[in-house]
Amino acid sequence: DYFKTASSFASLSLLAAWWCSFSSDVDDAQMKIVQKDTDATTDTAFDASDENEEVRDENTRRYLKSSIHEQRESGIDPDMLPKHIAVIMDGNRRYGRAKFGSASRGHWSGSKTLVDFSKWCLAEGIQIVTVYAFSTENWNRSASEVSTLMNIFCKYCDELRIEALERGICLKVLSTETDKIPPDVAEGIRKMVEETKHCNKLTLNICLSYGSRGEIVNACKSIAADVRDGNIDVSDISDVVVGSKMLTHTGDSNDGATCTTTNNHSDPDLIIRTSGEYRLSNFLLWQLAYSEMFFLKKQWPELTKADLLDIIRTYAGDRQRRYGK
């Protein structure tokens, strides 16, 4: 019920955060939205616990359309920026229980953080963001919870498509077990992915019904079929060939849609995981071979732009990616 009138782009983050098996916490200072009018400036408090849904959603829309956090702040040469950031958004449910006494209310806090995070990445010139939304293991949750999550996504697919088109965001949904996705959800995915494939400001990969081991197995099956059909010789199989079969590779999403973002097939330059956990949880195991890893003790909704800027600056200034040399 908390999400009945969620705004279109906020619904993306709501969706991803809801589907994470994770939890959250929110920095009250981060939830401030400053709406600048032509002749006056007003402060509007955005509170995840606000019972007035219309006020909450209007504040989210204001933030998205405002110029707040739209300027580059890292000061890093664009050539030194990470092109691709992967995120394990951990901490939503735990935060919800701690702050609100309700895990589900923590998901809204996490969704707001993903709204912010996407806007920060757009401002800094990040080309690709890949988020872990719903794993293949998450199907083992209760039938009622899974049904609720699928219904939420089905409801907001069209709104999400419209918002992504307005902001130039190319949406891709990466799945390794597509047969489990309900038909109405699959149709919503197909439409929003197809209609946003020309967008080029940011590629947002949403990993839904995804498991990295399954992705690697599927890649092996595809290569085996290519060998059987005479399309490739066994001696020609290389890491490049295997990599081309990964779902993050250009043109190899589940529905074949291709985003036009530059280098949208690149592996993540860095991965962020919040909540103090130190594991990958079956996420992008092939792609993260040379990625820089950042583990934060903060819950996902506590993340601020200052945290992202610190990560970007550390990546550009302190980390040396030598690839074994």
Side-chain angles (χ1 to χ4, degrees):
D1 290 339
Y2 292 105
F3 312 112
K4 285 184 179 178
T5 59
S7 64
S8 52
F9 189 58
S11 62
L12 160 63
S13 54
L14 163 68
L15 164 67
W18 247 101
W19 284 350
C20 272
S21 52
F22 317 132
S23 31
S24 24
D25 233 359
V26 188
D27 184 340
D28 289 336
Q30 181 188 346
M31 305 306 280
K32 280 285 187 179
I33 296 177
V34 180
Q35 174 64 22
K36 294 186 177 180
D37 297 320
T38 54
D39 44 340
T41 299
T42 59
D43 290 344
T44 304
F46 181 99
D47 189 346
S49 63
D50 194 341
E51 294 298 331
N52 188 326
E53 294 180 359
E54 292 184 1
V55 171
R56 183 190 66 199
D57 298 335
E58 179 58 28
N59 285 340
T60 298
R61 295 185 187 100
R62 285 182 180 180
Y63 175 73
L64 289 171
K65 296 180 183 300
S66 75
S67 60
I68 302 171
H69 293 146
E70 286 189 346
Q71 295 76 34
R72 289 194 67 238
E73 299 179 46
S74 66
I76 300 299
D77 186 313
D79 292 336
M80 300 295 291
L81 288 171
K83 296 179 175 63
H84 186 173
I85 295 178
V87 186
I88 299 177
M89 304 172 292
D90 204 351
N92 294 327
R93 294 192 297 179
R94 276 167 282 175
Y95 172 75
R97 293 191 189 102
K99 188 173 182 68
F100 305 119
S102 169
S104 63
R105 292 182 68 174
H107 288 298
W108 173 255
S109 302
S111 72
K112 171 62 169 60
T113 301
L114 184 54
V115 173
D116 295 346
F117 191 82
S118 300
K119 192 170 184 176
W120 305 336
C121 287
L122 277 169
E124 293 301 320
I126 307 302
Q127 296 176 11
I128 313 168
V129 174
T130 300
V131 298
Y132 205 8
F134 189 91
S135 73
T136 50
E137 290 78 12
N138 290 152
W139 291 111
N140 296 322
R141 292 185 178 185
S142 68
S144 60
E145 183 178 3
V146 170
S147 177
T148 297
L149 299 178
M150 292 298 115
N151 287 337
I152 289 173
F153 187 67
C154 186
K155 178 178 180 180
Y156 290 118
C157 268
D158 196 54
E159 292 184 12
L160 175 56
R161 174 184 58 83
I162 294 170
E163 185 66 35
L165 286 169
E166 290 180 356
R167 301 188 69 81
I169 299 172
C170 176
L171 299 171
K172 297 178 72 175
V173 176
L174 311 183
S175 305
T176 57
E177 294 185 10
T178 57
D179 57 310
K180 294 185 178 181
I181 300 174
D184 52 350
V185 176
E187 174 58 24
I189 290 173
R190 185 202 63 77
K191 185 175 182 181
M192 74 175 188
V193 170
E194 176 63 27
E195 294 190 16
T196 64
K197 67 182 182 181
H198 67 281
C199 296
N200 58 13
K201 291 185 178 179
L202 174 72
T203 295
L204 181 57
N205 296 320
I206 304 171
C207 293
L208 163 66
S209 190
Y210 171 89
S212 186
R213 287 183 173 181
E215 181 181 28
I216 294 171
V217 169
N218 291 342
C220 293
K221 290 178 179 179
S222 178
I223 293 172
D226 286 341
V227 172
R228 179 198 62 202
D229 297 337
N231 297 325
I232 187 174
D233 189 81
V234 171
S235 62
D236 294 327
I237 298 174
S238 66
D239 63 336
V240 174
V241 172
V242 176
S244 72
K245 299 293 185 178
M246 297 296 122
L247 295 177
T248 49
H249 194 276
T250 301
D252 202 21
S253 60
N254 299 120
D255 51 16
T258 303
C259 298
T260 56
T261 308
T262 303
N263 291 327
N264 67 331
H265 62 283
S266 65
D267 290 337
D269 297 295
L270 65 87
I271 178 173
I272 301 169
R273 179 164 188 162
T274 54
S275 85
E277 303 292 353
Y278 296 87
R279 56 179 177 270
L280 297 179
S281 298
N282 199 21
F283 181 52
L284 302 180
L285 301 179
W286 177 275
Q287 295 91 327
L288 295 177
Y290 293 101
S291 302
E292 297 295 318
M293 298 184 180
F294 292 83
F295 297 99
L296 306 182
K297 291 186 177 180
K298 286 186 173 183
Q299 307 292 1
W300 168 248
E302 294 179 304
L303 196 77
T304 65
K305 187 172 185 181
D307 294 319
L308 176 62
L309 294 177
D310 183 59
I311 289 171
I312 288 174
R313 289 166 181 154
T314 300
Y315 169 85
D318 299 337
R319 300 290 181 96
Q320 294 184 12
R321 305 177 74 194
R322 292 183 290 271
Y323 299 97
K325 296 179 181 178

